Amino acid sequence: MIRVAAVGDVHVGEEVDEGLRRDLATLGECADVLLLAGDLTRHGTVAETRCLTAVLDTVDVPIVAVLGNHDHHSDEVDGVVSELEGAGVEVLEGTSTTVEVGAATLGIAGAKGFGGGFVGASASEFGEPEMKSFVRHTRDVADRLRSALQDLRADRRIALLHYSPIEDTLHGERLEIYPFLGSYLLAEAVDQGGADLVLHGHAHAGSERGVTPGGIRVRNVARPLIQRSFRLFELDEPSPAASAAS
Amino acid sequence: MSEPDRTPDAYVIAHVREALATDERVAELGIELTIASSTLVLNGRVASTAQRDAATAVATELLAAQLPDLEVRNDLEVVDADAGPAGPEHVT
């Protein structure tokens, strides 16, 4: 059994989050890895990131993260990533990593994602440069995510995002803002690249559960939505026969 | 419009929403705003009491310039993230 703890949108400011610290300190008892689905900070400053890494200090399992839009707000992304990596957090952006859990390998491909909307109500790469640039960013991120998943050799695979790949997990948010909350291009990338589970955040007022058009489970783990320090998932290790066949 | 000088409610909501997103004391994009009669109501969830209180301050400061007669009612819920972990979901 591979045990995964996940949370997004912890939005750490320049103060100690005691609730988060307390819950994460005992994480090793129930999880083999911690996944952070973006918006780790409130304004994306290095100072806030230090407050987060101080809290993560107590975590004794591997930590893998993607950034969110808030983590970009102060244009200190390089510093934020350095601080996280210095604390042992692996930060993914169109890249992947693996974590050994017993005899099994868990693969995680991650990307921030971006907006653009969903089938029938999505932005196109057409018109003004700003519009084309907006959609092209989503397409680039999705392409890198697809490649990362396709190249990922692991027994079980998780796609880690900040923005949502589907509408289901946005239900509860206002319909008008869906194009700012995610893009179907992300779901298409995951369905083509393959995964056992997709985790994302960003939509604080959304819903927890959904599925991609290709049938892959999607879970929104935004902390304001789950109202906990993290959600837990258990993935079966593949049977020896299945491993040999793959 | 009976009062041509009064900023239409829709623009007030837009301005407050932008202020709540960009003011670093709040930095929250998901706050729902409604103007009901002479009250601006803030709804949704924030992470801390400080953030909730700052939302009132930001909205009040902005309204003082645009619509001083509008009251602010802060119904924001502070998320209790201290519930501890729930049981795991099994992914087959």
Side-chain angles (χ1 to χ4, degrees):
Chain A
M1 192 77 77
I2 301 169
R3 303 171 305 167
V4 176
V7 64
D9 306 78
V10 292
H11 289 285
V12 170
E14 289 189 39
E15 69 272 344
V16 177
D17 190 327
E18 290 296 347
L20 193 61
R21 178 198 286 275
R22 189 197 57 226
D23 290 344
L24 293 183
T26 60
L27 189 81
E29 296 167 16
C30 56
D32 302 304
V33 61
L34 171 63
L35 305 184
L36 300 174
D39 278 4
L40 315 176
T41 63
R42 197 168 292 164
H43 311 101
T45 65
V46 173
E48 289 174 342
T49 312
R50 285 200 189 101
C51 291
L52 173 65
T53 53
V55 170
L56 296 177
D57 206 23
T58 61
V59 178
D60 52 4
V61 298
I63 306 172
V64 181
V66 295
L67 300 186
N69 53 314
H70 279 246
D71 306 317
H72 282 260
H73 183 64
S74 296
D75 295 324
E76 295 181 20
V77 170
D78 289 348
V80 167
V81 170
S82 297
E83 174 63 28
L84 288 166
E85 289 178 343
V89 179
E90 183 141 10
V91 182
L92 303 178
E93 182 48 56
T95 53
S96 68
T97 189
T98 57
V99 176
E100 302 301 323
V101 180
T105 303
L106 173 68
I108 303 128
K112 172 179 65 66
F114 201 45
F118 300 91
V119 175
S122 60
S124 294
E125 209 173 312
F126 180 88
E128 301 90 326
E130 292 82 359
M131 195 67 201
K132 286 188 280 204
S133 156
F134 177 88
V135 178
R136 197 175 297 134
H137 179 57
T138 310
R139 199 175 290 284
D140 288 346
V141 169
D143 286 347
R144 290 200 300 272
L145 178 67
R146 180 189 296 103
S147 298
L149 283 166
Q150 283 168 340
D151 295 343
L152 187 53
R153 297 286 165 265
D155 297 311
R156 305 303 298 264
R157 290 181 295 171
I158 292 177
L160 180 63
L161 293 163
H162 178 61
Y163 285 78
S164 178
I166 59 168
E167 293 171 88
D168 296 7
T169 47
L170 301 181
H171 290 161
E173 296 279 3
R174 288 177 58 163
L175 198 57
E176 295 90 335
I177 66 168
Y178 279 20
F180 303 111
L181 298 178
S183 165
Y184 79 93
L185 294 171
L186 302 169
E188 194 174 31
V190 171
D191 280 332
Q192 289 173 350
D196 298 293
L197 176 67
V198 188
L199 299 172
H200 74 87
H202 194 46
H204 296 192
S207 303
E208 286 200 48
R209 297 179 178 212
V211 67
T212 66
I216 299 172
R217 286 184 180 88
V218 179
R219 298 292 180 263
N220 180 351
V221 293
R223 192 185 185 201
L225 174 66
I226 64 175
Q227 302 201 37
R228 294 184 155 74
S229 289
F230 50 83
R231 272 275 183 238
L232 289 169
F233 302 90
E234 291 181 347
L235 288 79
D236 287 330
E237 293 171 30
S239 64
S243 299
S246 65
Chain B
M1 296 295 289
S2 55
E3 300 172 71
D5 292 339
R6 182 183 160 132
T7 309
D9 290 351
Y11 299 133
V12 174
I13 288 175
H15 298 160
V16 175
R17 184 186 300 282
E18 192 67 17
L20 292 170
T22 54
D23 190 292
E24 64 176 27
R25 292 170 290 171
V26 184
E28 177 57 56
L29 307 176
I31 294 175
E32 286 293 323
L33 302 166
T34 315
I35 292 179
S37 183
S38 58
T39 308
L40 172 72
V41 185
L42 281 62
N43 262 309
R45 291 170 173 170
V46 291
S48 67
T49 309
Q51 209 180 0
R52 183 184 63 191
D53 295 345
T56 301
V58 169
T60 306
E61 285 164 21
L62 193 128
L63 290 179
Q66 296 190 9
L67 279 180
D69 58 329
L70 206 60
E71 286 179 31
V72 175
R73 192 174 90 206
N74 188 332
D75 284 348
L76 289 170
E77 181 188 353
V78 177
V79 174
D80 175 16
D82 293 346
E89 178 187 355
H90 193 78
V91 180
T92 52

